[in-house]
Amino acid sequence: MFDFSDKVALVTGAAGNLGQTTAEMFHARGAKLALVDLSGDRLNSIYAKWTGSKDVLLLSADLTDATSVQAMADQAAAHFSHIDILANIAGGFTMGPPLHETPVKDWDFMINLNARTVFLTCRAIIPTMLAQAGGRIINVSARAATVGKGKMGPYCASKAAVITLTESLAAEHKLNGININCILPGTIDTPQNRADMPDADYDTWVPTADLADVILFLASDAARAVTGAALPVYGKS
Ligand SMILES: NC(=O)c1ccc[n+]([C@@H]2O[C@H](COP(=O)([O-])OP(=O)(O)OC[C@H]3O[C@@H](n4cnc5c(N)ncnc54)[C@H](OP(=O)(O)O)[C@@H]3O)[C@@H](O)[C@H]2O)c1
């Protein structure tokens, strides 16, 4: 549907469920890829088929750590000389006790994993996009960002922060040719969710390919007039 020849897409969380599907779909449409995740070993194993390709760069980084993120961004920019698309997919979910019983470290973990990672990656990559006068950023929030739920306060707050960060970034860069949007997945159809919720109706969950299609749309020229959006992608749920 879309042609990303000559485009470089940097995908975080590339060893995860949605990250893998998104990387495959960008690759199938001609994009060069910088694939980022915490574990270099998992990246090497998942993307062994692309070993030796100069069009695919595998980078391990802790995206909650500013130094690690800057080093990753510098390596990607040096290798490709431009970064056209940032798909910020790394993130995660925990739930726990009511907020008044939540350990501070659990709060910090969620806020850092979902909000700080978006802040740090955008902070590190936007200068490259400014230098090339354009880019696309797609952040991944969640449906749970829209209404706070019991025992999920840190997760809901961390994903709500992704929406407001996206809006602030979009306002800052709408005249700079950089479009910044986020998607709000409902429950994604992943092996982990199937194992955790064996009695659920999987047909109502959103497949990773359906989410990746929306990410590719937002990265494409067809979405040139869209910035600052928080797009629900709930499937049939
Ligand atoms: N799954 C759902 O139902 C659902 C629903 C709504 C929104 N979302 C959001 O959608 C996105 C993708 O979900 P998914 O199910 O594909 O998640 P996933 O399979 O857990 O993938 C996330 C990836 O991010 C990596 N990661 C974690 N911490 C990192 C760090 N500090 N630095 C670099 N990489 C790190 C993970 O590595 P490790 O495995 O080594 O930790 C994992 O490979 C996430 O942002 C998630 O919050 C998911």
Side-chain angles (χ1 to χ4, degrees), residues 7-39:
K7 300 287 186 197
V8 175
L10 190 150
V11 179
T12 76
N17 295 291
L18 178 57
Q20 283 184 56
T21 305
T22 303
E24 295 277 357
M25 287 171 56
F26 269 126
H27 186 266
R29 286 158 185 76
K32 299 179 176 61
L33 293 171
L35 301 176
V36 181
D37 211 291
L38 203 47
S39 162

PDB file of all heavy atoms in Angstrom, residues 7-39:
ATOM      1  N   LYS A   7      13.468   5.543   2.655  1.00  0.00           N
ATOM      2  CA  LYS A   7      13.157   6.026   4.011  1.00  0.00           C
ATOM      3  C   LYS A   7      13.860   5.145   5.040  1.00  0.00           C
ATOM      4  O   LYS A   7      14.003   3.932   4.847  1.00  0.00           O
ATOM      5  CB  LYS A   7      11.648   5.975   4.284  1.00  0.00           C
ATOM      6  CG  LYS A   7      10.820   6.811   3.325  1.00  0.00           C
ATOM      7  CD  LYS A   7      10.972   8.287   3.595  1.00  0.00           C
ATOM      8  CE  LYS A   7      10.044   9.104   2.726  1.00  0.00           C
ATOM      9  NZ  LYS A   7      10.433  10.519   2.681  1.00  0.00           N
ATOM     10  N   VAL A   8      14.244   5.771   6.129  1.00  0.00           N
ATOM     11  CA  VAL A   8      14.817   5.034   7.257  1.00  0.00           C
ATOM     12  C   VAL A   8      13.811   5.074   8.400  1.00  0.00           C
ATOM     13  O   VAL A   8      13.391   6.159   8.820  1.00  0.00           O
ATOM     14  CB  VAL A   8      16.148   5.666   7.718  1.00  0.00           C
ATOM     15  CG1 VAL A   8      16.670   4.968   8.960  1.00  0.00           C
ATOM     16  CG2 VAL A   8      17.166   5.618   6.595  1.00  0.00           C
ATOM     17  N   ALA A   9      13.426   3.901   8.875  1.00  0.00           N
ATOM     18  CA  ALA A   9      12.505   3.818  10.012  1.00  0.00           C
ATOM     19  C   ALA A   9      13.235   3.245  11.213  1.00  0.00           C
ATOM     20  O   ALA A   9      13.851   2.177  11.122  1.00  0.00           O
ATOM     21  CB  ALA A   9      11.309   2.931   9.661  1.00  0.00           C
ATOM     22  N   LEU A  10      13.186   3.960  12.305  1.00  0.00           N
ATOM     23  CA  LEU A  10      13.761   3.456  13.554  1.00  0.00           C
ATOM     24  C   LEU A  10      12.602   2.940  14.400  1.00  0.00           C
ATOM     25  O   LEU A  10      11.676   3.690  14.725  1.00  0.00           O
ATOM     26  CB  LEU A  10      14.524   4.571  14.272  1.00  0.00           C
ATOM     27  CG  LEU A  10      15.377   4.133  15.470  1.00  0.00           C
ATOM     28  CD1 LEU A  10      16.590   5.071  15.635  1.00  0.00           C
ATOM     29  CD2 LEU A  10      14.588   4.095  16.762  1.00  0.00           C
ATOM     30  N   VAL A  11      12.648   1.655  14.698  1.00  0.00           N
ATOM     31  CA  VAL A  11      11.548   1.002  15.417  1.00  0.00           C
ATOM     32  C   VAL A  11      12.053   0.567  16.784  1.00  0.00           C
ATOM     33  O   VAL A  11      12.987  -0.248  16.879  1.00  0.00           O
ATOM     34  CB  VAL A  11      11.038  -0.234  14.634  1.00  0.00           C
ATOM     35  CG1 VAL A  11       9.913  -0.930  15.391  1.00  0.00           C
ATOM     36  CG2 VAL A  11      10.565   0.176  13.232  1.00  0.00           C
ATOM     37  N   THR A  12      11.458   1.092  17.860  1.00  0.00           N
ATOM     38  CA  THR A  12      11.832   0.628  19.203  1.00  0.00           C
ATOM     39  C   THR A  12      10.899  -0.505  19.620  1.00  0.00           C
ATOM     40  O   THR A  12       9.793  -0.652  19.094  1.00  0.00           O
ATOM     41  CB  THR A  12      11.775   1.760  20.252  1.00  0.00           C
ATOM     42  OG1 THR A  12      10.402   2.030  20.583  1.00  0.00           O
ATOM     43  CG2 THR A  12      12.464   3.032  19.749  1.00  0.00           C
ATOM     44  N   GLY A  13      11.369  -1.305  20.558  1.00  0.00           N
ATOM     45  CA  GLY A  13      10.584  -2.493  20.944  1.00  0.00           C
ATOM     46  C   GLY A  13      10.524  -3.495  19.808  1.00  0.00           C
ATOM     47  O   GLY A  13       9.582  -4.274  19.692  1.00  0.00           O
ATOM     48  N   ALA A  14      11.573  -3.494  18.977  1.00  0.00           N
ATOM     49  CA  ALA A  14      11.555  -4.288  17.739  1.00  0.00           C
ATOM     50  C   ALA A  14      11.627  -5.789  17.988  1.00  0.00           C
ATOM     51  O   ALA A  14      11.366  -6.576  17.081  1.00  0.00           O
ATOM     52  CB  ALA A  14      12.710  -3.853  16.831  1.00  0.00           C
ATOM     53  N   ALA A  15      11.975  -6.188  19.212  1.00  0.00           N
ATOM     54  CA  ALA A  15      11.968  -7.625  19.537  1.00  0.00           C
ATOM     55  C   ALA A  15      10.621  -8.066  20.108  1.00  0.00           C
ATOM     56  O   ALA A  15      10.425  -9.253  20.365  1.00  0.00           O
ATOM     57  CB  ALA A  15      13.091  -7.953  20.513  1.00  0.00           C
ATOM     58  N   GLY A  16       9.713  -7.121  20.320  1.00  0.00           N
ATOM     59  CA  GLY A  16       8.411  -7.458  20.887  1.00  0.00           C
ATOM     60  C   GLY A  16       7.392  -7.799  19.810  1.00  0.00           C
ATOM     61  O   GLY A  16       7.707  -7.834  18.608  1.00  0.00           O
ATOM     62  N   ASN A  17       6.170  -8.033  20.238  1.00  0.00           N
ATOM     63  CA  ASN A  17       5.119  -8.500  19.311  1.00  0.00           C
ATOM     64  C   ASN A  17       4.820  -7.476  18.220  1.00  0.00           C
ATOM     65  O   ASN A  17       4.964  -7.759  17.028  1.00  0.00           O
ATOM     66  CB  ASN A  17       3.837  -8.785  20.105  1.00  0.00           C
ATOM     67  CG  ASN A  17       4.011  -9.918  21.082  1.00  0.00           C
ATOM     68  OD1 ASN A  17       4.162 -11.060  20.693  1.00  0.00           O
ATOM     69  ND2 ASN A  17       3.988  -9.602  22.381  1.00  0.00           N
ATOM     70  N   LEU A  18       4.380  -6.297  18.635  1.00  0.00           N
ATOM     71  CA  LEU A  18       4.023  -5.276  17.647  1.00  0.00           C
ATOM     72  C   LEU A  18       5.266  -4.767  16.926  1.00  0.00           C
ATOM     73  O   LEU A  18       5.219  -4.478  15.721  1.00  0.00           O
ATOM     74  CB  LEU A  18       3.291  -4.120  18.345  1.00  0.00           C
ATOM     75  CG  LEU A  18       2.879  -2.948  17.461  1.00  0.00           C
ATOM     76  CD1 LEU A  18       1.996  -3.407  16.294  1.00  0.00           C
ATOM     77  CD2 LEU A  18       2.150  -1.877  18.300  1.00  0.00           C
ATOM     78  N   GLY A  19       6.379  -4.687  17.634  1.00  0.00           N
ATOM     79  CA  GLY A  19       7.613  -4.215  17.012  1.00  0.00           C
ATOM     80  C   GLY A  19       8.064  -5.113  15.869  1.00  0.00           C
ATOM     81  O   GLY A  19       8.477  -4.630  14.803  1.00  0.00           O
ATOM     82  N   GLN A  20       7.976  -6.419  16.069  1.00  0.00           N
ATOM     83  CA  GLN A  20       8.389  -7.354  15.006  1.00  0.00           C
ATOM     84  C   GLN A  20       7.500  -7.216  13.776  1.00  0.00           C
ATOM     85  O   GLN A  20       7.988  -7.171  12.642  1.00  0.00           O
ATOM     86  CB  GLN A  20       8.307  -8.799  15.510  1.00  0.00           C
ATOM     87  CG  GLN A  20       9.437  -9.197  16.418  1.00  0.00           C
ATOM     88  CD  GLN A  20       9.353 -10.671  16.813  1.00  0.00           C
ATOM     89  OE1 GLN A  20       9.303 -11.545  15.964  1.00  0.00           O
ATOM     90  NE2 GLN A  20       9.341 -10.926  18.103  1.00  0.00           N
ATOM     91  N   THR A  21       6.205  -7.174  14.001  1.00  0.00           N
ATOM     92  CA  THR A  21       5.282  -7.058  12.859  1.00  0.00           C
ATOM     93  C   THR A  21       5.516  -5.743  12.113  1.00  0.00           C
ATOM     94  O   THR A  21       5.530  -5.707  10.875  1.00  0.00           O
ATOM     95  CB  THR A  21       3.819  -7.132  13.341  1.00  0.00           C
ATOM     96  OG1 THR A  21       3.650  -8.337  14.081  1.00  0.00           O
ATOM     97  CG2 THR A  21       2.853  -7.101  12.185  1.00  0.00           C
ATOM     98  N   THR A  22       5.716  -4.679  12.872  1.00  0.00           N
ATOM     99  CA  THR A  22       5.927  -3.362  12.249  1.00  0.00           C
ATOM    100  C   THR A  22       7.225  -3.359  11.447  1.00  0.00           C
ATOM    101  O   THR A  22       7.268  -2.844  10.312  1.00  0.00           O
ATOM    102  CB  THR A  22       5.948  -2.271  13.341  1.00  0.00           C
ATOM    103  OG1 THR A  22       4.719  -2.343  14.068  1.00  0.00           O
ATOM    104  CG2 THR A  22       6.102  -0.881  12.734  1.00  0.00           C
ATOM    105  N   ALA A  23       8.280  -3.951  12.015  1.00  0.00           N
ATOM    106  CA  ALA A  23       9.558  -4.013  11.301  1.00  0.00           C
ATOM    107  C   ALA A  23       9.406  -4.801   9.999  1.00  0.00           C
ATOM    108  O   ALA A  23       9.890  -4.374   8.940  1.00  0.00           O
ATOM    109  CB  ALA A  23      10.613  -4.665  12.197  1.00  0.00           C
ATOM    110  N   GLU A  24       8.726  -5.924  10.072  1.00  0.00           N
ATOM    111  CA  GLU A  24       8.522  -6.756   8.869  1.00  0.00           C
ATOM    112  C   GLU A  24       7.760  -5.966   7.801  1.00  0.00           C
ATOM    113  O   GLU A  24       8.079  -6.044   6.606  1.00  0.00           O
ATOM    114  CB  GLU A  24       7.707  -8.016   9.210  1.00  0.00           C
ATOM    115  CG  GLU A  24       8.391  -8.991  10.155  1.00  0.00           C
ATOM    116  CD  GLU A  24       9.359  -9.940   9.450  1.00  0.00           C
ATOM    117  OE1 GLU A  24       9.457  -9.879   8.221  1.00  0.00           O
ATOM    118  OE2 GLU A  24      10.029 -10.715  10.171  1.00  0.00           O
ATOM    119  N   MET A  25       6.746  -5.227   8.238  1.00  0.00           N
ATOM    120  CA  MET A  25       5.910  -4.525   7.248  1.00  0.00           C
ATOM    121  C   MET A  25       6.636  -3.325   6.642  1.00  0.00           C
ATOM    122  O   MET A  25       6.498  -3.041   5.454  1.00  0.00           O
ATOM    123  CB  MET A  25       4.559  -4.167   7.872  1.00  0.00           C
ATOM    124  CG  MET A  25       3.713  -5.438   8.022  1.00  0.00           C
ATOM    125  SD  MET A  25       2.162  -5.311   8.968  1.00  0.00           S
ATOM    126  CE  MET A  25       1.300  -4.022   8.112  1.00  0.00           C
ATOM    127  N   PHE A  26       7.430  -2.626   7.449  1.00  0.00           N
ATOM    128  CA  PHE A  26       8.251  -1.543   6.871  1.00  0.00           C
ATOM    129  C   PHE A  26       9.257  -2.134   5.876  1.00  0.00           C
ATOM    130  O   PHE A  26       9.486  -1.581   4.795  1.00  0.00           O
ATOM    131  CB  PHE A  26       9.002  -0.789   7.971  1.00  0.00           C
ATOM    132  CG  PHE A  26       8.271   0.393   8.538  1.00  0.00           C
ATOM    133  CD1 PHE A  26       8.050   0.520   9.903  1.00  0.00           C
ATOM    134  CD2 PHE A  26       7.806   1.415   7.710  1.00  0.00           C
ATOM    135  CE1 PHE A  26       7.384   1.618  10.429  1.00  0.00           C
ATOM    136  CE2 PHE A  26       7.135   2.527   8.228  1.00  0.00           C
ATOM    137  CZ  PHE A  26       6.933   2.621   9.596  1.00  0.00           C
ATOM    138  N   HIS A  27       9.872  -3.256   6.262  1.00  0.00           N
ATOM    139  CA  HIS A  27      10.881  -3.895   5.399  1.00  0.00           C
ATOM    140  C   HIS A  27      10.252  -4.312   4.074  1.00  0.00           C
ATOM    141  O   HIS A  27      10.826  -4.102   2.992  1.00  0.00           O
ATOM    142  CB  HIS A  27      11.476  -5.096   6.125  1.00  0.00           C
ATOM    143  CG  HIS A  27      12.617  -5.743   5.397  1.00  0.00           C
ATOM    144  ND1 HIS A  27      12.461  -6.817   4.551  1.00  0.00           N
ATOM    145  CD2 HIS A  27      13.936  -5.447   5.376  1.00  0.00           C
ATOM    146  CE1 HIS A  27      13.635  -7.156   4.059  1.00  0.00           C
ATOM    147  NE2 HIS A  27      14.547  -6.348   4.532  1.00  0.00           N
ATOM    148  N   ALA A  28       9.053  -4.884   4.149  1.00  0.00           N
ATOM    149  CA  ALA A  28       8.373  -5.349   2.937  1.00  0.00           C
ATOM    150  C   ALA A  28       8.049  -4.189   1.993  1.00  0.00           C
ATOM    151  O   ALA A  28       7.867  -4.401   0.788  1.00  0.00           O
ATOM    152  CB  ALA A  28       7.089  -6.087   3.315  1.00  0.00           C
ATOM    153  N   ARG A  29       7.967  -2.987   2.549  1.00  0.00           N
ATOM    154  CA  ARG A  29       7.648  -1.817   1.711  1.00  0.00           C
ATOM    155  C   ARG A  29       8.877  -0.959   1.455  1.00  0.00           C
ATOM    156  O   ARG A  29       8.772   0.219   1.131  1.00  0.00           O
ATOM    157  CB  ARG A  29       6.522  -1.017   2.360  1.00  0.00           C
ATOM    158  CG  ARG A  29       5.183  -1.735   2.207  1.00  0.00           C
ATOM    159  CD  ARG A  29       4.157  -1.319   3.235  1.00  0.00           C
ATOM    160  NE  ARG A  29       2.955  -2.128   3.116  1.00  0.00           N
ATOM    161  CZ  ARG A  29       2.855  -3.388   3.557  1.00  0.00           C
ATOM    162  NH1 ARG A  29       3.891  -3.989   4.134  1.00  0.00           N
ATOM    163  NH2 ARG A  29       1.714  -4.050   3.423  1.00  0.00           N
ATOM    164  N   GLY A  30      10.054  -1.558   1.627  1.00  0.00           N
ATOM    165  CA  GLY A  30      11.276  -0.925   1.128  1.00  0.00           C
ATOM    166  C   GLY A  30      12.055  -0.079   2.103  1.00  0.00           C
ATOM    167  O   GLY A  30      13.090   0.490   1.727  1.00  0.00           O
ATOM    168  N   ALA A  31      11.583   0.038   3.364  1.00  0.00           N
ATOM    169  CA  ALA A  31      12.294   0.910   4.303  1.00  0.00           C
ATOM    170  C   ALA A  31      13.614   0.286   4.741  1.00  0.00           C
ATOM    171  O   ALA A  31      13.731  -0.932   4.857  1.00  0.00           O
ATOM    172  CB  ALA A  31      11.425   1.173   5.540  1.00  0.00           C
ATOM    173  N   LYS A  32      14.578   1.149   4.994  1.00  0.00           N
ATOM    174  CA  LYS A  32      15.775   0.743   5.725  1.00  0.00           C
ATOM    175  C   LYS A  32      15.418   0.837   7.210  1.00  0.00           C
ATOM    176  O   LYS A  32      14.610   1.685   7.599  1.00  0.00           O
ATOM    177  CB  LYS A  32      16.945   1.664   5.389  1.00  0.00           C
ATOM    178  CG  LYS A  32      17.324   1.651   3.918  1.00  0.00           C
ATOM    179  CD  LYS A  32      18.474   2.615   3.676  1.00  0.00           C
ATOM    180  CE  LYS A  32      18.971   2.570   2.246  1.00  0.00           C
ATOM    181  NZ  LYS A  32      17.960   2.930   1.238  1.00  0.00           N
ATOM    182  N   LEU A  33      16.036  -0.031   8.006  1.00  0.00           N
ATOM    183  CA  LEU A  33      15.558  -0.170   9.385  1.00  0.00           C
ATOM    184  C   LEU A  33      16.667  -0.046  10.416  1.00  0.00           C
ATOM    185  O   LEU A  33      17.711  -0.701  10.291  1.00  0.00           O
ATOM    186  CB  LEU A  33      14.901  -1.542   9.568  1.00  0.00           C
ATOM    187  CG  LEU A  33      13.599  -1.788   8.803  1.00  0.00           C
ATOM    188  CD1 LEU A  33      13.210  -3.257   8.910  1.00  0.00           C
ATOM    189  CD2 LEU A  33      12.486  -0.903   9.357  1.00  0.00           C
ATOM    190  N   ALA A  34      16.409   0.739  11.453  1.00  0.00           N
ATOM    191  CA  ALA A  34      17.183   0.680  12.690  1.00  0.00           C
ATOM    192  C   ALA A  34      16.260   0.046  13.721  1.00  0.00           C
ATOM    193  O   ALA A  34      15.205   0.610  14.053  1.00  0.00           O
ATOM    194  CB  ALA A  34      17.611   2.077  13.131  1.00  0.00           C
ATOM    195  N   LEU A  35      16.627  -1.139  14.175  1.00  0.00           N
ATOM    196  CA  LEU A  35      15.752  -1.917  15.066  1.00  0.00           C
ATOM    197  C   LEU A  35      16.356  -1.933  16.459  1.00  0.00           C
ATOM    198  O   LEU A  35      17.483  -2.395  16.644  1.00  0.00           O
ATOM    199  CB  LEU A  35      15.583  -3.336  14.514  1.00  0.00           C
ATOM    200  CG  LEU A  35      14.992  -3.388  13.095  1.00  0.00           C
ATOM    201  CD1 LEU A  35      14.938  -4.815  12.589  1.00  0.00           C
ATOM    202  CD2 LEU A  35      13.609  -2.733  13.070  1.00  0.00           C
ATOM    203  N   VAL A  36      15.588  -1.442  17.411  1.00  0.00           N
ATOM    204  CA  VAL A  36      16.117  -1.177  18.750  1.00  0.00           C
ATOM    205  C   VAL A  36      15.337  -1.972  19.785  1.00  0.00           C
ATOM    206  O   VAL A  36      14.098  -2.012  19.747  1.00  0.00           O
ATOM    207  CB  VAL A  36      15.991   0.342  19.065  1.00  0.00           C
ATOM    208  CG1 VAL A  36      16.565   0.645  20.440  1.00  0.00           C
ATOM    209  CG2 VAL A  36      16.663   1.176  17.991  1.00  0.00           C
ATOM    210  N   ASP A  37      16.057  -2.587  20.713  1.00  0.00           N
ATOM    211  CA  ASP A  37      15.413  -3.219  21.862  1.00  0.00           C
ATOM    212  C   ASP A  37      16.449  -3.369  22.969  1.00  0.00           C
ATOM    213  O   ASP A  37      17.642  -3.124  22.757  1.00  0.00           O
ATOM    214  CB  ASP A  37      14.800  -4.574  21.477  1.00  0.00           C
ATOM    215  CG  ASP A  37      13.555  -4.899  22.305  1.00  0.00           C
ATOM    216  OD1 ASP A  37      13.710  -5.158  23.521  1.00  0.00           O
ATOM    217  OD2 ASP A  37      12.431  -4.891  21.767  1.00  0.00           O
ATOM    218  N   LEU A  38      15.943  -3.797  24.116  1.00  0.00           N
ATOM    219  CA  LEU A  38      16.815  -3.950  25.283  1.00  0.00           C
ATOM    220  C   LEU A  38      17.865  -5.029  25.058  1.00  0.00           C
ATOM    221  O   LEU A  38      19.032  -4.866  25.388  1.00  0.00           O
ATOM    222  CB  LEU A  38      15.914  -4.319  26.481  1.00  0.00           C
ATOM    223  CG  LEU A  38      16.369  -4.061  27.897  1.00  0.00           C
ATOM    224  CD1 LEU A  38      16.937  -2.662  28.097  1.00  0.00           C
ATOM    225  CD2 LEU A  38      15.192  -4.303  28.846  1.00  0.00           C
ATOM    226  N   SER A  39      17.449  -6.148  24.507  1.00  0.00           N
ATOM    227  CA  SER A  39      18.346  -7.299  24.386  1.00  0.00           C
ATOM    228  C   SER A  39      18.898  -7.438  22.966  1.00  0.00           C
ATOM    229  O   SER A  39      18.162  -7.746  22.022  1.00  0.00           O
ATOM    230  CB  SER A  39      17.585  -8.578  24.773  1.00  0.00           C
ATOM    231  OG  SER A  39      18.274  -9.699  24.293  1.00  0.00           O
TER     232      SER A  39
END
